Amino acid sequence: MNLKNVIQTEGFIREPVDELRKKINESSSSKIILNGGRGSGKSVILSSMEDRGLGTEHQTILMRFDSCVPFSSNFMNDYDSFVKHYYELILARDLLFYVKKYYPYTYEMYFKDTDAFLQDMSKTTIHYINNQLYDDKKLEKMVSSMEVSSKIVKRMKEKLKIDTITLAIDRFDWTHGRSEAIQKLLSTYFPMFDKVVITTDDESLEETSKRSTLEKKGYSFISSEYGKDRDVLNLLTRKRIELSNVKKYREYMEENLLNTDIYEDLIAKGNGNISFILSTIFEILRLVDWYDGKVENLKEEFEREIDSQVKHVREMKEIDSHPPRLYLS
């Protein structure tokens, strides 16, 4: 589901997200790592930050870079320069996309020419990537890190009368095939913004030594853990069921699930993973709908589905020989 749709539906629980959003905004740290495990609502928090900042003097620009590797170093003599050029184009165009989407008049008046320049360079760059196996020509022109993006940020502050801009990067440690070099390259952009917030799925951050190393580099940690709050999950589940296509069984589920030890077991095994919990519930809800509300042993069905979901998560981790790791300068 689109994150904007999530925060604008009746199924959105505002209070825990607002609490974390305010904690991030009020933090004295300029570099924040938002962690809490997969499915813990981190992406929703960043989306809410961007949404609530619109039209104010303190705005947040949310980005997510592709996790795939779009080009290879094997056929490039100028790989290091090209990487800097490529991510400068991506970041600069994301900044302009933000302006174009939310401030179309300002875009037309002050940013349209810059966007045309970047689009032209992007077309040339894509052609170069697609033909790198067959053509050893270099790009005639490349931009360097912050060459264009820094000017865009400066102009945004001036024309939109913004005091501070926060850069929010979702799934930062998945970028470019989970590349250490690309993460460190992107982290060189952080001083260009007043504050930076990144989300991570790096489970090794549970180690005190790694957190300490990052804290010495000026990073602070804020955890998203509202997925472990029973009352929040209870309300979230009710609201999602109300919005579902099988909402006619809402009362059945509330009576037979939300106030029982089945739900407690689900929360415990979900360990704050909201996606895991909701996915399990809706699998059972579809089963209830299939049997027209007549399930003989709901507890057994839930236990079976919970075990299935846990097994799936474990298998995916075993398959993933290169789990995301956070690398920051």
Side-chain angles (χ1 to χ4, degrees):
M1 183 182 288
N2 184 284
L3 291 175
K4 286 293 183 185
N5 292 340
V6 171
I7 65 174
Q8 292 171 1
T9 65
E10 294 180 7
F12 176 56
I13 308 299
R14 178 179 298 280
E15 291 88 341
V17 174
D18 279 354
E19 182 179 343
L20 285 164
R21 179 182 55 78
K22 290 176 183 177
K23 188 175 182 179
I24 291 169
N25 289 339
E26 294 171 2
S27 171
S28 59
S29 175
S30 63
K31 297 185 292 185
I32 296 172
I33 298 169
L34 181 61
N35 64 327
R38 299 186 190 184
S40 59
K42 303 186 297 296
S43 300
V44 173
I45 293 166
L46 296 192
S47 184
S48 176
M49 287 178 62
E50 181 178 76
D51 184 68
R52 293 295 294 273
L54 293 172
T56 73
E57 296 173 348
H58 308 283
Q59 301 199 20
T60 297
I61 301 174
L62 174 58
M63 298 183 186
R64 176 188 283 186
F65 300 100
D66 285 343
S67 59
C68 65
V69 180
F71 48 82
S72 170
S73 62
N74 297 333
F75 307 98
M76 293 184 185
N77 296 323
D78 54 351
Y79 180 74
D80 291 340
S81 297
F82 179 79
V83 166
K84 292 178 181 178
H85 161 80
Y86 179 83
Y87 277 97
E88 171 65 7
L89 285 182
I90 296 294
L91 199 139
R93 292 202 65 185
D94 279 356
L95 289 170
L96 286 180
F97 177 77
Y98 175 88
V99 179
K100 185 176 183 179
K101 181 178 181 179
Y102 297 115
Y103 303 100
Y105 174 78
T106 302
Y107 167 82
E108 290 287 337
M109 293 294 294
Y110 304 109
F111 293 95
K112 195 172 182 179
D113 290 344
T114 302
D115 198 11
F117 165 75
L118 291 173
Q119 287 186 41
D120 184 60
M121 291 210 74
S122 295
K123 289 178 182 178
T124 305
T125 301
I126 291 170
H127 177 80
Y128 173 71
I129 292 172
N130 291 338
N131 292 277
Q132 59 181 312
L133 287 172
Y134 318 105
D135 191 346
D136 59 358
K137 291 182 180 179
K138 294 184 179 180
L139 282 175
E140 293 184 3
K141 177 169 177 56
M142 291 191 286
V143 290
S144 57
S145 295
M146 292 171 270
E147 179 181 338
V148 182
S149 56
S150 61
K151 295 175 183 177
I152 294 173
V153 169
K154 183 178 179 181
R155 194 180 302 174
M156 283 177 65
K157 285 188 171 183
E158 176 188 345
K159 300 304 179 183
L160 294 173
K161 296 180 173 55
I162 300 173
D163 288 340
T164 65
I165 295 179
T166 295
L167 172 65
I169 305 179
D170 196 20
R171 294 167 62 89
F172 181 80
D173 45 6
W174 291 80
T175 302
H176 200 98
R178 311 171 197 185
S179 165
E180 176 179 357
I182 301 304
Q183 288 185 47
K184 289 184 175 179
L185 169 63
L186 290 174
S187 68
T188 64
Y189 281 86
F190 291 178
M192 199 169 76
F193 299 88
D194 300 282
K195 184 174 288 190
V196 174
V197 185
I198 61 174
T199 69
T200 174
D201 288 324
D202 186 350
E203 294 182 354
S204 71
L205 287 176
E206 296 176 6
E207 301 171 10
T208 305
S209 58
K210 183 162 186 177
R211 291 174 69 105
S212 178
T213 299
L214 288 168
E215 286 170 346
K216 288 177 182 177
K217 292 181 179 181
Y219 294 91
S220 64
F221 290 83
I222 293 178
S223 295
S224 173
E225 297 187 333
Y226 65 90
K228 298 178 181 179
D229 186 316
R230 190 189 191 286
D231 291 332
V232 171
L233 285 173
N234 198 312
L235 181 57
L236 180 61
T237 301
R238 292 174 191 272
K239 283 183 168 290
R240 291 294 176 86
I241 292 174
E242 287 176 1
L243 293 172
S244 73
N245 292 327
V246 284
K247 59 186 177 182
K248 62 182 178 180
Y249 293 115
R250 176 172 58 86
E251 293 181 2
Y252 172 88
M253 293 296 283
E254 289 180 358
E255 180 182 348
N256 292 279
L257 168 65
L258 299 182
N259 297 308
T260 68
D261 56 352
I262 305 174
Y263 197 53
E264 296 293 345
D265 185 44
L266 177 59
I267 292 173
K269 291 182 177 177
N271 193 33
N273 188 331
I274 299 169
S275 299
F276 171 94
I277 293 168
L278 290 176
S279 177
T280 303
I281 288 172
F282 276 93
E283 281 300 317
I284 298 300
L285 199 56
R286 280 187 279 271
L287 181 70
V288 171
D289 186 47
W290 177 262
Y291 287 106
D292 200 25
K294 299 174 183 178
V295 176
E296 292 185 5
N297 194 323
L298 187 65
K299 184 175 182 180
E300 283 186 7
E301 294 295 345
F302 254 101
E303 289 175 349
R304 187 179 296 111
E305 183 58 34
I306 291 170
D307 289 343
S308 175
Q309 294 281 348
V310 169
K311 181 181 179 182
H312 175 70
V313 171
R314 183 172 62 249
E315 288 175 345
M316 293 303 294
K317 285 184 178 181
E318 290 173 354
I319 292 172
D320 192 355
S321 61
H322 183 42
R325 290 288 181 265
L326 194 60
Y327 303 101
L328 294 165
S329 300

